[in-house]
Structure formats: structure tokens, C-alpha cells
Amino acid sequence: MKGKIITLLICMMLLITFFAVSKNNEKLAINEDIKDIKPLSFDEVEAPVWESGDSWTYNIANMEFVIDDENLSENLTLIINAQIGDFTLEVIDDTGDIYQVGIIETTIEGNYLLDTDFGDGPIRVSGDLEDTVLAGNLYFNKSDLGVAKFEGLVDGKLTVNIEEQPYFDRSVFPKIPIPMTIYLEVEMENPFPVIQFPLNSSFMVWGMPAINASIGGTIESIWLNIFNFINQKIRKWGIIPPIARIFGLDEQMLQDASDMIDDILPIIDIKYVLNEYLEVNNWVNTPELPFMFFCNDTAEITVPAGTFDTYEILIAGGLGTIYYAPEVGNIIKIEGNFADALPFLNGIDAELKEYNYN
């Protein structure tokens, strides 16, 4: 009897030991599992604080702008492809509620295609940018880095190839580089931020608000002055009818072309031409685009300026990606082919080359 009791006690001790070991092993396994679980990230960064002298230089391998019936006018399609080797943004003024950021003068290369119709027939013009420089200013709200205004100056030569027009024999216009200076101003009625701050990687979704922007500016060229001078002499001498007969042109069409040239030259006012000849006002209105940006991850990204911890922001369901680095206080990489998902910008491929930010 005594032996049975001892045996039972031994069995109970073995069972207790077994359960204890099992519990410890279970705890160890749970701890290991917990280590493997990536906790939800609730990290947040506020909008960066920029100071005068801060700068960022990008290599823009490709950037495609499109203006067409989707975002401006059914009478105009303009496609511009550009490459900029050193696109530098430098904070010029950090006083008040707005950052003034200068676009430091840089060389721009690319090509363009223009399709339009002033009512007499289709006009198609294509060409390249030669010996062209870009400079200007961008204005950002301090609170959220919303883009408020853009001022740009493009100065150089445009190779003009008139592929189609209803007025003259095409052979009259050889493909020649035309010196031209374009000053463009775009002002946002409601500045919009590309990145929503405070930014975190715990499943953020935001959209692009409706955009109301006014477009203005001027186009100047020595050739526009020459065309205007010739047109003035033709009108003064009253020789439009004989010119029409000599070249076999419709006299009324030639008169209409002369009237238009007289009206818009020697300096083209972009706002006036948009209003009077393309039957649109100079205001660009785009609808709200909800769920356009999505951030729920971080990534270590290497660009020519270095390797950075970034917030990964998907654009338009994955058509493009923005990488924002708090250490740099700006975007370090943006890439994507947006087709018709975004207004004006069809595609971009840019990386940060160097920066100066404290």
C-alpha cells in the first residue's frame, strides 16, 4: 500500500513537471511568434520646416505634360516631353505663411506636339527644344506644402515643323529653330498638397481635391516680330487679294489669318488667346479625384544622393510611386506612368542627386 502511494506521488510529480515544461515551451513559442509579428506602425511626421538656403537637386529623366480636351479645351492638344539633368529647387524666402522656392536656371531638352483648330481646319506643329533654359519660382503653403503658384520662364529655340495647316502650301514653312521666350504663370485658387501631413505608414488614403487654376503669361520671339511687321505691310498695301490669287489660296481664309495675326502679335498673350481663339477661359478646372494616394509602408531607397528611410506612397492604384524622406525634408524619388489618371502630368521619372537640408 505504501509503495502504491509513493508510485502515485511520483506520477503526479512527473505530470506536474510535464505541464510546467509544456507551459514554458508554449510561452517561448508565443514569444518567438510575437517577435515575428510586425506591429502596426503609428509613426507620424509633420510637414517639414524649410529655411532659406535649403535646396534639392533632381535628375528628371523624363517628364510628360499633356493639355487636351480632358483638362482644358477640345480645340487644343499639347504634349511636351522634357528631360532636365539638374533641376534644382532652392528656398529663397521662408517668411510669412508661404515658402518661395526658386527653380535655379537649368538646361532643358525635349520635344513637343501641338494640335489645334482655329475654325479654318486642323493645325499640327511638332518640334524640339534646342539650347533652352528653364527658371522660375514655386510657392508652397508652409502648413501643408500645398502648391499655391508657379512662375516659369523658358528661353531658347523651338524647332518648328508645321506638319499640317489650312492656310498655305506646307513647303512654304521649312523646319527651322525659332528663338522664343515663354513666360508662364499658373495660380491655384485652392492650393493642394501632394503629400498629406501628418504622414504615417499605418494605412493612409487621401485624394486630390478639385483644382481651379488660372493660366497666364506671354510668348515672345524675334520671328513673331517679323511676322507682325510683314503682316502690317501686307494689310497697309492692301495686297491680300493678289497674294491669294498668286498662291491659289482662299481670299477670305487669308484675310482671317491676317486678322488673327494682327490681333495676337507681336507678343502673344496666353490668357487672351485661350479666351478668344480656343473658346475656353484661362481657368483650368479639374474634378476631385478621391483615393488617389495611398501610404501603408516604408522602404529603404537608394538614389544618387544616398540611401534613405522613406514613406512609400502609391499613386492612382499603383500607376506611380512617391518616396518621401523626412531626413531630406522632401521627395527623393518619383516614378510613374499615369496616362489619364492625373491632370496634365502623364508620366515622370525623377531622383534626388544632392541636397542641402538641416
Side-chain angles (χ1 to χ4, degrees):
M1 181 66 178
K2 189 177 180 179
K4 290 182 179 180
I5 292 174
I6 294 173
T7 301
L8 182 61
L9 289 172
I10 292 173
C11 289
M12 289 178 65
M13 291 174 63
L14 289 174
L15 284 173
I16 292 170
T17 303
F18 171 76
F19 281 117
V21 172
S22 297
K23 288 293 182 182
N24 286 333
N25 288 337
E26 185 178 346
K27 288 181 180 179
L28 288 173
I30 291 173
N31 288 336
E32 290 300 319
D33 289 340
I34 290 174
K35 289 180 181 179
D36 293 335
I37 296 175
K38 183 181 178 180
L40 288 176
S41 174
F42 292 100
D43 54 312
E44 275 194 345
V45 290
E46 300 291 340
V49 176
W50 295 346
E51 297 178 352
S52 293
D54 290 345
S55 64
W56 303 266
T57 299
Y58 296 88
N59 173 51
I60 302 179
N62 182 61
M63 185 164 49
E64 182 176 278
F65 292 100
V66 175
I67 297 175
D68 57 17
D69 58 347
E70 293 292 328
N71 52 43
L72 187 60
S73 168
E74 61 182 11
N75 295 325
L76 172 68
T77 297
L78 175 61
I79 302 173
I80 302 174
N81 288 288
Q83 302 85 43
I84 307 175
D86 290 295
F87 183 73
T88 299
L89 302 174
E90 181 176 343
V91 179
I92 297 174
D93 187 1
D94 62 358
T95 60
D97 297 327
I98 298 287
Y99 292 117
Q100 180 183 352
V101 179
I103 301 172
I104 306 305
E105 184 175 302
T106 185
T107 301
I108 179 172
E109 299 177 351
N111 55 72
Y112 69 92
L113 175 64
L114 171 68
D115 281 303
T116 189
D117 191 332
F118 293 123
D120 301 317
I123 299 173
R124 167 168 281 209
V125 180
S126 63
D128 302 312
L129 305 177
E130 295 185 355
D131 302 323
T132 302
V133 296
L134 169 68
N137 291 289
L138 282 164
Y139 298 84
F140 297 88
N141 284 347
K142 278 188 175 182
S143 59
D144 58 5
L145 295 191
V147 181
K149 185 178 179 180
F150 165 76
E151 300 169 339
L153 178 69
V154 179
D155 185 56
K157 296 177 182 177
L158 297 180
T159 300
V160 177
N161 178 30
I162 301 178
E163 300 180 14
E164 185 179 2
Q165 48 79 32
Y167 304 110
F168 306 100
D169 187 323
R170 179 181 169 186
S171 62
V172 173
F173 298 98
K175 186 175 181 179
I176 55 175
I178 296 179
M180 192 167 293
T181 300
I182 302 173
Y183 173 74
L184 183 64
E185 182 176 293
V186 180
E187 188 163 1
M188 304 294 180
E189 186 179 55
N190 50 335
F192 72 92
V194 175
I195 298 176
Q196 182 171 299
F197 293 100
L199 178 65
N200 64 62
S201 59
S202 58
F203 199 81
M204 278 189 67
V205 180
W206 67 97
M208 180 176 289
I211 297 174
N212 299 308
S214 65
I215 298 178
T218 58
I219 302 175
E220 301 179 39
S221 172
I222 183 64
W223 281 99
L224 297 180
N225 292 336
I226 292 172
F227 290 153
N228 182 63
F229 176 79
I230 294 173
N231 185 59
Q232 293 298 323
K233 294 300 181 183
I234 289 174
R235 294 169 69 86
K236 181 178 179 180
W237 297 332
I239 58 176
I240 289 180
I243 291 177
R245 289 193 296 270
I246 292 172
F247 291 96
L249 301 174
D250 181 271
E251 182 179 330
Q252 186 57 51
M253 182 180 293
L254 188 59
Q255 182 65 56
D256 291 342
S258 176
D259 291 343
M260 182 185 68
I261 292 173
D262 181 61
D263 189 35
I264 67 175
L265 297 185
I267 298 176
I268 296 177
D269 185 311
I270 295 174
K271 175 182 176 181
Y272 181 76
V273 171
L274 289 175
N275 289 330
E276 297 296 324
Y277 289 94
L278 296 179
E279 299 179 352
V280 295
N281 60 38
N282 64 306
W283 281 91
V284 177
N285 303 295
T286 63
E288 180 183 3
L289 300 174
F291 313 115
M292 182 56 61
F293 302 98
F294 173 78
C295 179
N296 79 326
D297 205 357
T298 58
E300 187 178 79
I301 298 297
T302 299
V303 293
T307 299
F308 305 96
D309 293 325
T310 69
Y311 288 86
E312 185 180 70
I313 302 168
L314 300 182
I315 310 172
L319 295 179
T321 309
I322 294 173
Y323 297 96
Y324 173 79
E327 179 183 345
V328 171
N330 216 323
I331 294 167
I332 66 163
K333 184 175 182 178
I334 179 171
E335 57 189 359
N337 184 1
F338 312 119
D340 297 323
L342 292 178
F344 302 112
L345 185 61
N346 256 25
I348 188 170
D349 184 3
E351 290 185 330
L352 185 69
K353 293 177 66 175
E354 56 186 46
Y355 70 100
N356 176 41
Y357 173 74
N358 296 319

